[in-house]
Every structure is written in C-alpha cells, then in structure tokens.
C-alpha cells in the first residue's frame, strides 16, 4: 500500500477506471484517480526548538497540575489508576512522562486498508490523505436551496467522493441524514461508504454500540482475521475541550482501539471559547488533551493506531461566532504539526474551512488559506478537505466540486520541483533563444500533457468568450459538473455474497430496535 | 525608517490618523494604518543547496553561451562591451561571473522614502511591502460594469490605496487612464500619487522622457539633493522574455538608475510561452535575465537600488490563455526568492493574481494561493497585492477591498507565534480548567482587542442573521465599503508651495506637446 511506485495511471485500473476513462474521453468526466500524496516538498515550521520545548513543558504542567477529566466512565478511570495516574473523582492527573511512555507503542505510520487495495492509504510520514467534509446537518443542494440533509444527499456525496480524483478517502459523516432515525443512521452511512465507493472510510462514534456495528460490518467486508490485524476504519474521537473526554467519545474509542482500528484524537477548539485566545496557549492545551486521549487508546490496546488531531479555529470577539481562514488557526496548524512529529504520531488538521453561507469569494479565500497551511504543515490526514460550508453546518455540492479542484493543485504542489534533465529544460532554452517563444518547441510538445495543473473549474478564457458562454461564476460551472458526475456514476464491483451479508446485517439491526429521533 | 519599534498606533498620527480614527469611531471606516511588514516567521524553501547550485550553473551557461539581447540601444551595448562582455550585434554574452561581480555594488536592503516619513518603507531583508495592482486598461467599476479605465478611476484607486491599512505603498499604474493622451498620462498619474496619498509610489517607464519627468516631479516633492542621495521612487523594468531587453525599458532603466532611483528588473513570463514549461527551466531563465538586467543598472550607476523581480505564471496548454493561482507559479516564486537571497538582492513577486472575470470563488482561490506563497517565499515587494482581476486586464474596486482584508491577515500571520508569558496563557488555562469556557476569563478580557485578526469582509454570523441582512455575497459587502471609503476620503496635508510647483510642472509639460493617443 505504501509502494510509491504505483502511478496515477495504474491506480485507475479495473471497472471504475474504464468507466472514468470512457467518461474522460467523452469530455467532462473526472480525470484519473490520484494515489494518496507522498510529499516531496519540505514542511513549513513556525516554532523553533526553544518554542516547542516551552509548549511541551507547559503541556506537562497542565497534565500534572490541572489534569484532564474522563467523565462518566468508571472503567476509563480505573484503567488510568492502574497505569499509575493520580485519579481524583473524574479528574486524572498524569505524572510527568506517563502519556509519552504509553504512546511509545503507537505506530508513527500505518496503512488504512481499502477494499480495493489500490485505494489503501498510508497515514503518517510523508503521506497526505484528503477526505471530505464531516458532520453538517444541512446541505446547500444542487438547486441552491439550504435544507436539512437526507440519506440521498449522503449517498450523492459518497459517490462524488468516490469519483473525485484527489479525494483519497471517502470520509465519514458526509452530511447528517436527518431523514433516517438517529439510532439507525450509522448503518446506512457505513453501508453507503462500503458499497458506493472502494476507498477507505470512517466509522460511527456517536455511541459504543454504533462503533461496534461499524466493526462488525468491517468484518463482513474485510474478513474477521484481517480486521484484527489491520486498520480498515478510522474514527474521529473529539475531546470536549477544554480538557474533558466524555463517555460517548471514550466508549467509541475503546471499541475501536480494542479492535485494533484507528482513532483520531482531536481537541475541537474555537480559540477564545474552548482554549485561550493565544496561539501558544491553544497549542499547549491541544498537546495536553491529545497526550491524554491518545495515550488512553494505548491503554485499550497497545499498538492501536492513533492520530494527533487538531481542529482549531477562532471566534469573533464581537459576536462569538466561529471564524475560519484567519492567520491564527494557520499558526496553530503549523505548530501542532511540529508537536505531532516530535511525538511520533501521524497528524490531522485543517481542510477547506470557511464561515461563508455561499460558495463565494469569502468561502474561497478562507478555504484556500486553510488548505495552504494544511498542506505545508505536513498534515497526514485532512478531514473537511472538500464540501465544507457555513462553519461546517452545511455540505455544499458546488463547493465540493470547487474544493477538489484545489486539492488537485495541492497534490501537484506536493511534487515539488523536478530537477531532472527534462525539468531543467536547457535544450528548450537553447532551441528557442532570445526573442522567440516556447509554444511549439520540442520540449513543450514532449511535455504538453503533464506540464501544468489543469483546472476544470477555472475559466481562463477572454472576457468576450466568457460572455458568450453565459458569464458564469465558478460555482455555476461547479454545479454543472456535480450534476454531470452524479449522472455518470457507476458503482465499483463488489462480491455479491458480501453485498448480501451487509444488506442482511443492516436489515437485521434496523428491525431489532424501534426508531429513535433524538 | 527601518526602526522596527514604530508601532501601528504611532503610524496613524497626523491629520490622516485623526480622520481615520474619527471614521473608525463612527463605524465602517478603515482601521489604523499598518507599518510595512517585518516578518517574524521564517521563509519557506522548495529547493535545497544542490538544486539552487544547479540552477545557478545553468543560468551561467545561458548568460555565456546563449546570451541576452539588448535591442536598439547602442549605448547599452557599448557599456557592456566596456565592462568586458562579448557583444555580437545586439546579443550580449557574459563571461562567467561578470554579472555577479557587477551586482556587488547593489544594496541588499534599501529604504524607499515617502513624503510622510512614517510611510517610508524598507525594501529587502525581512521586510514585506504591499502595493496595488499595476497596469489594467479596464476597470470593473462600482456598478459592476467592465469598461475602459479613466483618470477618475485612477484617482479613486490612489485614494483607496492611501486609506487601506495593509497597503504600504501606493503603487504605480493602478489602471490605465485611457481618457488622457498616452503621452500625458504619466504626469497625471504621478501627480495623483504625490497629492492624494503620502505613501511611497512608482514612476513612469513607458519612455525615457516620461521617466525623466517622474524624476523631475520627485525633485519638486523631495528636493534635488535628497533625491540624488535617496530612493524616492521605484520603477518596473520588465524584460521582454525570453532573453530580451528592449529600448523602452533600457531607456527608463538608465534614467532611474542614473538618478539613484530603484528599479525592479522583472522577467514577465507565462511559462510555456515566454519560458520552458518546467519550473526549473523557468527559474534558470529568470535568473539569467535578472542577472543581466540588474547588472546593467550597476553599469549605469554603481550602488543604484535594484530589485530581483519575477512575474511568472503559466498558460493553459489548451487555449494559450494565462492561468493563475496554480501550483507551478507558486513553486517558481519560492525558488526565485531563494535565488534572490543568494544573490543578495531584494525580491519581488506574486500578489493577488487571478484569471477570473468577476470577484467570485475562482478569483479568491487563485488570489489566496498566490498571496500565501508570496508571503511565505519571503517576498520583499509585492506588486498586484490588491485589485487585480481578469489576468490583470481589469482593476476591480470590489476585489481591491476584499484583497486588502487578506493583506491584513498576511500581515498578522507574519508576526508569528507570541511566546511571551501572555502568549503562553498558562494563567488562563489554570483559571478556566476542565469543562468550562474562556469567554470571560481575565486573560481573554485583557487580550480582547488584539486577540484575533478582524475581517471587515467576512460574514461570520448565523445563516438566519445573514438572511435578515440581505443574503449578501462577499463582493457586495466590499462594494459598500469601497463606496463608503471614497465618500469619507480626506487628502493628506501637502505644502502649498510644493503643490503649486507640481501643478505648474504638469501644466507646462502638457501645454508643451500635442496630445498623442497611440
């Protein structure tokens, strides 16, 4: 899975690849799938050794003196007590070094397997994996209406994620299917990811039994032994910042870690509300929370994959509303990535975040600012990489399509500068010489196909041509592409026996409990 | 001028400052002026020592074996011959090391003085200076109409540049005032910068006599001796890539360098047309062209300030149209900045570039991608930082206002992470503790005003609030701000005698020649 010699062309093999190539020839379909990113460029760092050591010392003080709450979970507290922590009611105080010692069993790099081995991803090291938006209860639909999301929307986003070339991972709660009972949604969502896509995906974390259902479905899809020995699902375990883990998240974390599946321990922070208003203070709290939560997964099962997660934005000091794409969260991302690397854990942050209600310039400025820092920070797993709108309250079809174009650019950027003889292009400079042009020279012709990133959203034509074509804005072009792709979607092949077993599991589970809507 | 202890508050003194503060109190006016950026964050680099040395070797080969054309300028060729170059007709071949030796007299850092000393800027070192868009013949006006630009538009943009907090430099050809005769435009443009703003500005380069007029006007504004001893105007000298300097640019360069004024020697490149389709090939050609052009300024006057300029984007390989905000130009910017630092010259690139015809998501994605790499590359002088639309064919009022908001964010980003005791915020973490919030804690209250960057464009309110307020898009909010600022504009004070002398100079020059429109 981590074989960096697998090229984009090979990755598009199989039934899906043929469909995509057919569509691409017909014009307008998605370009070939891209394998997960292996960054050839270096990371950007905002903190020096001194600053990093300072924040680490401060986080140790937080862990020891203030402590972290593990609420309403007697088992978790008992586990911490047995591990040597000082437990006072639900507050756990950590002797200096305890969490770091526990984390020595956590892998710095691991593979999350997809049912199509060509779509398996490396998480950690020089890999970057893009996954779609997670969690919005609303959609901005294809007709421009904002409304509650449905399971049909969910399936549409699962299809688009599957088709999107620079989306390497199908994600999790692409939107909340509020037309499905709360206690049954996870079954439909996991089923959709498993059947509509062959990329890796995320599991349910909203209750321990839903996490257990996810693991059961993974065993149907991948086989029981394979699941026990390999990571096949990754799961978002949010801290309830500041400095609290609650029973829901702890319950899901226990299920997944004990099943040897990956967790992303993520302080969910809007600075000024859930953390101090400063970058260094936020980094200190983030590090303390991740140390405690990630170490807990190693108490559940040493060696279970765990990711250093950070979701940090700010609030407007006037209104308290969340803000995105501003400088402070970028600085937090850069700094947290450095702390994660020093800790030896894979890192998750960022995405294409914005506060705008529509896919306008605000949405794009904010998303691009976030994505640029996400990439250069050296982020390994990027949730919310496409489709995020309105502070995460809405999944937008149009923005999904615009964002994945930006992800393709980030992927090209990550290749860095080609310094081969062809990259140096001295033959071209010699052939063309002063006062001529490179349009037809041999080197340009030889590199015609791959020379530059090709956007399917950007209109680079003349003003007059753009007028003739209807004076469309970027999101109108994106809307057309979303409709077109959904129209040409073909499901990836799936073994009939597995498909039937998954259907049966979902049907049996659903019939075994009454609908619950809260 | 380079005193980094001058804070934003002090910079807002004087008549302008009082007006701005009054407006800010009334709500909606510009926030206080920000001094030019002193980057506290490190630069991002895409090339290692080996890559840089390779490109430098290749550029030396270009200079020696292929050579650079200095066209239709016998004096320039004679100067090169006298300096030891091998001149064959208009082609100059440079012995290895000649250009670098000549450039030893060029200052790595210099100050461009403004008539208001508080607005003088450092160019080079850790400074970054933002200047508006340069050159568009069209405007996208306040009513959303695209039309030819007029001198009234020019004056409006000069006023907005003067009022914009994170615009440190008023720029040059903010738009082409096509209602003024070609041979007289420069007089009105330089006059506007000198009288409507007190920030530094750029001079005319479209003919040697227009450059001479600019220098004359500078002598009126600053005094003759001051101009001879100090840089008071900076000027854009584009190479006619590939590998040509023409008589217009050489004529202007000679005037400015001999007057001890600054030039920005800039290969204007759309890769695939004016340079090879690869990043390394483009960097090689850029370096060779800058070495030749910048060294020429030192032949004109050793010690004259000169900037390593790069304008590099790509073309669509389908249509030949220029593209912006894609990965390749970002890589060129990062690499060229490294080459400039090794050469010991200040560096110019980037801005807020885009190909979109309207200030939509495409415009914003592309602009943000460009600006992010511009900042992290460590660019010293950033032309086109605000207002650029449609591949530089149109200056947009709305985008100008949106871009300067992004510039404010870049400026905040450049401050890096505050690691002071207040920045560490351990008292806040101790005070709040697990499960509470930071909204009212002492540390938050103490840092309320300066905690986070405050955008005047972003709408962070709830969807419902946004609906109530008219469902405005970002560019609509920007349009309102542009109108408001132009309505509250107050000119900075200017000595009456100087004002009259400038008026008289322009009047006399205009009356001395017939109008020319080509």
């Amino acid at each position: 899975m981590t074989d960096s010699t697998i090229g984009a062309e090979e990755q598009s093999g199989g039934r899906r690849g043929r469909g995509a190539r057919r569509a691409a020839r017909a014009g307008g379909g998605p370009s070939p799938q891209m394998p997960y990113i292996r960054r050839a460029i270096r990371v950007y760092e905002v903190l020096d050794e001194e600053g990093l050591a300072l924040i680490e010392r401060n986080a140790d003080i937080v862990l020891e003196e203030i402590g972290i709450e593990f609420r309403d979970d007697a088992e978790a507290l008992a586990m911490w007590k047995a591990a040597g922590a000082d437990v006072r009611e639900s507050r756990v105080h950590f002797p200096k070094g305890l969490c770091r010692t526990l984390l020595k069993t956590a892998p710095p790099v691991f593979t999350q397997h997809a049912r199509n081995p060509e779509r398996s991803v490396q998480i950690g090291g020089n890999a970057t994996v893009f996954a779609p938006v997670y969690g919005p209860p609303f959609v901005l639909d294809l007709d421009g209406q904002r409304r509650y999301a449905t399971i049909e929307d969910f399936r549409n986003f699962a299809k688009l994620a599957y088709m999107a070339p620079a989306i390497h991972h199908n994600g999790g709660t692409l939107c909340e299917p509020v037309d499905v009972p709360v206690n049954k949604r996870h079954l439909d969502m996991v089923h959709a990811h498993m059947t509509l896509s062959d990329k890796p995906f995320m599991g349910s974390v909203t209750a321990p039994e839903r996490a257990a259902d996810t693991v059961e479905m993974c065993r149907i899809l991948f086989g029981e032994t394979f699941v026990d020995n390999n990571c096949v699902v990754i799961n978002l375990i949010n801290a309830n910042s500041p400095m609290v883990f609650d029973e829901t998240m702890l319950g899901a974390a226990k299920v997944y870690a004990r099943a040897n599946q990956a967790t992303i321990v993520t302080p969910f922070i809007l600075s000024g509300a859930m953390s101090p208003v400063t970058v260094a203070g936020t980094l200190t709290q983030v590090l303390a929370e991740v140390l405690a939560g990630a170490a807990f997964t190693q108490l559940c099962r040493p060696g279970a994959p765990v990711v250093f997660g950070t979701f940090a934005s700010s609030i407007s000091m006037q209104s308290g509303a969340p803000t995105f794409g501003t400088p402070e969260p970028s600085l937090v991302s850069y700094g947290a990535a450095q702390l994660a690397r020093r800790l030896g854990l894979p890192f998750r942050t960022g995405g294409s975040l914005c506060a705008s209600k529509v896919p306008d310039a605000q949405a794009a400025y904010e998303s691009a600012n976030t994505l640029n820092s996400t990439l250069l920070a050296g982020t390994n797993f990027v949730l919310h990489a496409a489709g995020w709108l309105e502070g995460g309250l809405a999944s937008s079809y149009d923005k999904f399509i615009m964002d994945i174009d930006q992800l393709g650019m980030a992927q090209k950027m990550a290749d860095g500068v080609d310094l081969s003889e062809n990259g140096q292009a001295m033959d071209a400079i010699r052939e063309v010489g002063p006062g001529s042009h490179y349009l037809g020279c041999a080197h340009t012709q030889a590199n015609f196909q791959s020379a530059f990133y090709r956007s399917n959203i950007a209109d680079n034509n003349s003003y007059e041509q753009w007028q003739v074509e209807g004076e469309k804005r970027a999101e109108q072009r994106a809307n057309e592409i979303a409709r077109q792709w959904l129209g040409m979607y073909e499901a990836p092949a799936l073994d009939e026996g597995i498909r039937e077993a998954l259907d049966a599991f979902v049907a049996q589970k659903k019939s075994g409990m009454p609908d619950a809507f809260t």
Side-chain angles (χ1 to χ4, degrees), chain A:
Chain A
M1 302 316 126
T2 60
D3 181 353
S4 64
T5 63
I6 298 176
E9 202 49 47
E10 283 72 19
Q11 296 269 340
S12 67
R15 183 175 158 186
R16 148 113 186 87
R18 284 197 301 276
R21 282 197 296 273
R22 222 176 15 248
R25 275 195 303 274
S31 52
Q33 290 292 309
M34 295 200 261
Y36 67 83
I37 296 172
R38 290 88 164 175
R39 274 174 281 108
I41 55 173
R42 60 188 90 183
V43 297
Y44 181 72
E45 305 194 319
V46 292
L47 292 170
D48 58 15
E49 171 62 34
E50 196 183 348
L52 291 162
L54 176 69
I55 287 167
E56 287 172 343
R57 272 199 308 278
N58 285 344
D60 282 347
I61 292 170
V62 171
L63 286 171
E64 187 162 8
E65 294 180 15
I66 301 172
I68 304 286
E69 297 264 338
F70 283 71
R71 287 195 179 159
D72 304 317
D73 191 328
E75 185 192 19
L77 294 170
M79 288 161 72
W80 274 121
K81 197 165 182 191
D86 174 12
V87 180
R88 309 175 204 166
E89 300 189 356
S90 61
R91 185 83 61 96
V92 181
H93 297 259
F94 305 83
K96 194 165 153 53
L98 174 61
C99 294
R100 288 178 183 275
T101 304
L102 289 171
L103 281 168
K104 286 191 176 150
T105 53
V109 179
F110 62 92
T111 296
Q112 182 185 350
H113 294 267
R115 70 172 169 96
N116 176 352
E118 289 175 353
R119 304 272 178 272
S120 296
V121 293
Q122 176 183 313
I123 297 185
N126 71 338
T128 294
V129 172
F130 290 136
V133 60
Y134 185 108
F138 297 99
V139 292
L140 190 63
D141 73 15
L142 284 166
D143 299 320
Q145 295 303 307
R146 180 188 186 263
R147 55 169 174 75
Y148 277 107
T150 66
I151 190 67
E152 190 189 342
D153 292 308
F154 186 97
R155 291 182 181 130
N156 282 340
F157 281 109
K159 292 173 183 175
L160 291 174
Y162 165 65
M163 298 176 86
I167 288 281
H168 316 106
H169 193 289
N170 243 59
T173 309
L174 303 167
C175 56
E176 273 288 344
V178 298
D179 55 339
V180 179
V182 166
N183 58 338
K184 298 177 180 178
R185 280 178 199 167
H186 65 290
L187 299 163
D188 287 343
M189 290 195 278
V190 172
H191 186 274
H193 282 304
M194 288 180 165
T195 56
L196 300 177
S197 176
D198 62 1
K199 292 181 180 179
F201 55 86
M202 301 175 77
S204 174
V205 295
T206 53
E209 63 273 18
R210 296 176 198 156
D213 286 345
T214 305
V215 174
E216 277 309 307
M217 292 173 75
C218 287
R219 289 178 178 141
I220 295 171
L221 186 65
F222 290 94
E224 199 155 330
T225 313
F226 192 86
V227 170
D228 194 48
N229 292 319
N230 295 283
C231 171
V232 300
V233 65
I234 191 166
N235 309 282
L236 191 58
I237 304 298
N238 279 354
N240 198 342
S241 303
M243 296 170 275
V244 174
F245 287 93
D246 63 34
E247 63 178 326
T248 303
M249 286 293 135
L250 292 170
K254 284 189 281 191
V255 169
Y256 286 119
R258 284 169 178 160
N260 205 20
Q261 300 308 308
T263 49
I264 310 170
V265 175
T266 306
F268 180 91
I269 285 178
L270 300 170
S271 295
M274 294 88 139
S275 80
V277 293
T278 61
V279 171
T282 298
L283 285 170
T284 299
Q285 188 184 307
V286 163
L287 178 58
E289 293 177 6
V290 170
L291 277 167
F296 179 71
T297 67
Q298 302 305 297
L299 290 182
C300 297
R301 177 160 169 169
V306 60
V307 174
F308 185 133
T310 304
F311 180 99
S313 205
S314 309
I315 57 167
S316 158
M317 296 306 274
Q318 286 75 50
S319 65
T323 63
F324 297 94
T326 51
E328 295 83 11
S330 289
L331 291 169
V332 171
S333 287
Y334 286 126
Q338 290 181 265
L339 294 167
R341 279 190 291 274
R342 283 162 70 96
L343 195 54
L345 291 183
F347 179 65
R348 172 243 156 166
T349 197
S352 299
L353 310 181
C354 65
S356 187
K357 268 55 77 180
V358 281
D360 64 350
Q362 178 188 342
Y365 280 120
E366 293 174 343
S367 297
N369 288 344
T370 310
L371 187 65
N372 273 275
S373 56
T374 300
L375 177 72
L376 293 189
T379 308
N380 301 115
F381 187 78
V382 183
L383 202 56
H384 311 308
W388 169 291
L389 199 67
E390 205 195 313
L393 286 175
S395 297
S396 161
Y397 286 85
D398 298 354
K399 184 152 181 288
F400 187 96
I401 298 292
M402 295 198 299
D403 284 340
I404 61 173
D405 181 42
Q406 295 296 312
L407 300 180
M409 293 192 205
Q411 180 140 7
K412 186 84 191 280
M413 178 82 192
D415 288 341
V417 181
D418 172 14
L419 291 170
S420 68
E421 200 169 318
N422 183 62
Q424 293 175 55
M426 287 297 282
D427 53 339
I429 300 177
R430 284 199 174 90
E431 179 186 338
V432 171
S436 185
H437 67 75
Y438 290 79
L439 292 171
C441 80
H443 182 267
T444 299
Q445 290 183 330
N447 291 276
F448 182 81
Q449 286 297 335
S450 61
F452 303 123
Y453 178 79
R454 296 184 186 195
S455 169
N456 64 346
I457 295 297
D459 183 299
N460 302 309
N461 294 330
S462 69
Y463 187 86
E464 292 71 21
Q465 181 72 21
W466 173 77
Q467 276 190 310
V468 166
E469 292 176 4
E471 304 195 353
K472 287 175 195 158
R473 303 173 64 92
E475 69 268 29
Q476 292 174 278
R477 297 190 291 273
N479 188 276
E480 290 169 8
I481 291 170
R483 290 172 185 272
Q484 187 182 27
W485 285 18
L486 288 172
M488 63 172 55
Y489 167 82
E490 292 176 47
L494 178 60
D495 178 273
E496 267 310 308
I498 290 176
R499 169 72 190 224
E500 283 164 17
L502 287 172
D503 292 351
F505 180 87
V506 169
Q508 178 250 318
K509 278 281 168 183
K510 281 190 169 182
S511 68
M513 55 185 164
D515 291 354
F517 273 95
T518 50

